[in-house]
């Protein structure tokens, strides 16, 4: 107990091992992704999934004939161009990303190579479910090696193959799921609420209606003082008969003009003077 008192009086921590252990007991299980916590969790993987939750919102919807993917694009500054969040993988497939863009580029290159190899060997486009399973396996391998870290990016994979349109999600944990519609990233809860409310309409929706639903849901993810514009929004559409196609700025503006007007959100209280530093911006 005397050692603990000494350490609290700014003595070196190595003189008080009990005090040090108490201080760091909540952090001893998150030093790598191969250590389980007593609660049965792997904290490094949860931190990687948190990076996805703080990323740019992206969503995907499918009907019985088409798949649509939409994203919000942010610019690092007024001098920068908006960052690309939708990547074409093949003529029948695209991904939307939330999280670390650098990690997403690595996975996008891997997916493109797999599609090219499949086309060369089998003379047929790759099935989307098979490729998503391979990406999930690749992500899982990063969670079982102490010298590696999990990918800090979540993917929404949308496309069409011989079985029709598909929407899949992959996680840094190596899990993958198929959806009728899904949204990930920051403020995506509002978009998911919209998708759940209207999801019964998606199956028989026309391509134009599907795009409108996607932008209505994306509009829910923006703050009350933000609006969707052709500059900060991207939408891509695919079908069994139609190759990957991104909507032009003119087509986007036409749909954006028809969106429901947002209600003003209640203003957040500003912190009192001297209440501490502003929170770090993690929205890039």
């Amino acid at each position: 107990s005397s050692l603990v008192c000494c350490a609290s009086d700014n003595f070196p921590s190595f003189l008080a091992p009990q005090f040090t252990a108490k201080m760091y007991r909540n952090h001893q299980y998150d030093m790598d992704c191969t250590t389980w916590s007593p609660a049965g969790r792997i904290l490094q993987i949860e931190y990687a999934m948190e990076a996805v939750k703080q990323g740019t919102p992206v969503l995907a919807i499918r009907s019985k004939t088409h798949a649509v993917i939409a994203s919000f694009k942010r610019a690092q500054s007024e001098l920068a161009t908006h960052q690309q969040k939708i990547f074409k993988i093949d003529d029948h497939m695209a991904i939307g990303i939330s999280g670390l863009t650098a990690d997403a580029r690595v996975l996008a290159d891997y997916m493109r190579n797999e599609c090219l190899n499949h086309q060369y060997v089998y003379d047929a486009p790759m099935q989307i479910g098979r490729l998503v399973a391979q990406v999930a396996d690749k992500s899982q391998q990063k969670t079982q090696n102490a010298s590696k870290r999990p990918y800090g990016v979540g993917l929404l994979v949308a496309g069409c193959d011989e079985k029709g349109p598909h929407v899949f999600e992959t996680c840094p944990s190596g899990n993958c799921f198929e959806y009728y519609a899904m949204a990930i990233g920051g403020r995506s809860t509002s978009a998911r609420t919209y998708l759940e409310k209207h999801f019964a309409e998606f199956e028989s929706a026309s391509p134009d209606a599907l795009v409108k639903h996607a932008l209505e849901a994306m509009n829910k993810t923006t703050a009350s003082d933000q609006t969707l514009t052709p500059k900060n929004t991207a939408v891509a559409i695919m079908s069994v008969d139609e190759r990957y196609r991104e909507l032009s700025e003119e087509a986007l503006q036409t749909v954006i003009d028809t969106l429901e007007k947002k209600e003003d959100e209640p203003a957040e209280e500003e912190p009192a003077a001297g209440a501490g530093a502003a929170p770090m911006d993690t929205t890039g």
Side-chain angles (χ1 to χ4, degrees):
S1 58
S2 59
L3 286 177
V4 174
C5 295
C6 292
S8 63
D9 293 329
N10 295 325
F11 272 71
S13 61
F14 65 82
L15 294 177
Q18 296 172 347
F19 179 78
T20 308
K22 185 177 181 182
M23 241 174 66
Y24 290 102
R25 69 173 180 266
N26 293 327
H27 301 286
Q28 59 187 319
Y29 301 108
D30 66 355
M31 293 301 154
D32 59 56
C33 60
T34 62
T35 303
W36 291 91
S37 76
R41 295 154 63 187
I42 303 179
L43 299 176
Q44 281 287 323
I45 298 175
E46 294 185 15
Y47 298 161
M49 296 179 77
E50 194 63 33
V52 177
K53 292 180 185 176
Q54 295 183 17
T56 307
V58 60
L59 62 88
I61 309 177
R62 68 178 172 95
S63 67
K64 60 185 178 183
T65 57
H66 289 74
V68 169
I69 192 163
S71 78
F72 185 77
K73 300 187 293 185
R74 286 196 179 95
Q76 297 299 320
S77 73
E78 292 184 7
L79 301 176
T81 59
H82 290 81
Q83 203 167 28
Q84 180 185 7
K85 295 295 179 180
I86 296 178
F87 296 87
K88 177 184 176 182
I89 300 301
D90 203 348
D91 287 336
H92 67 299
M93 190 189 321
I95 61 172
I97 66 110
S98 181
L100 295 180
T101 308
D103 285 6
R105 287 201 308 269
V106 172
L107 289 174
D109 286 345
Y110 169 77
M111 295 173 77
R112 287 169 181 151
N113 283 329
E114 289 299 306
C115 284
L116 284 171
N117 291 338
H118 192 279
Q119 183 72 40
Y120 179 78
V121 173
Y122 299 104
D123 196 25
M126 191 164 193
Q127 286 188 359
I128 295 168
R130 179 179 296 176
L131 181 56
V132 168
Q134 289 180 210
V135 172
D137 290 343
K138 189 176 176 69
S139 299
Q140 193 278 335
Q141 289 169 10
K142 299 287 185 180
T143 69
Q144 238 179 332
N145 192 324
S147 65
K148 294 182 170 63
R149 66 162 176 81
Y151 290 113
V153 66
L155 306 182
L156 283 182
V157 186
C160 300
D161 56 25
E162 68 223 13
K163 296 182 180 178
H166 299 277
V167 170
F168 287 92
E169 178 197 7
T170 71
C171 305
S173 62
N175 281 331
C176 60
F177 308 95
E178 185 169 14
Y179 293 94
Y180 292 104
M182 184 57 181
I184 60 173
R187 300 176 67 101
S188 61
T189 306
S190 303
R192 284 198 296 273
T193 302
Y194 175 90
L195 295 175
E196 288 167 4
K197 192 179 296 183
H198 297 86
F199 118 93
E201 305 168 24
F202 300 158
E203 185 73 13
S204 57
S206 67
D208 292 341
L210 213 57
V211 169
K212 188 174 189 303
H213 278 303
L215 287 176
E216 285 282 12
M218 186 58 63
N219 199 31
K220 306 292 184 187
T221 68
T222 58
S224 58
D225 59 343
Q226 266 186 328
T227 56
L228 294 183
T229 69
K231 296 289 186 187
N232 66 17
T233 312
V235 177
I237 186 167
M238 294 142 283
S239 74
V240 177
D241 304 318
E242 184 183 7
R243 293 183 169 191
Y244 170 91
R245 172 174 60 89
E246 278 198 43
L247 265 64
S248 64
E249 291 190 3
E250 293 78 13
L252 279 174
Q253 187 64 62
T254 302
V255 182
I256 289 171
D257 290 341
T258 67
L259 297 182
E260 182 183 337
K261 301 299 180 188
K262 286 190 295 187
E263 298 177 5
D264 289 340
E265 294 179 352
E268 295 183 3
E269 294 183 8
E270 294 186 2
M280 185 175 65
D281 181 14
T282 58
T283 58

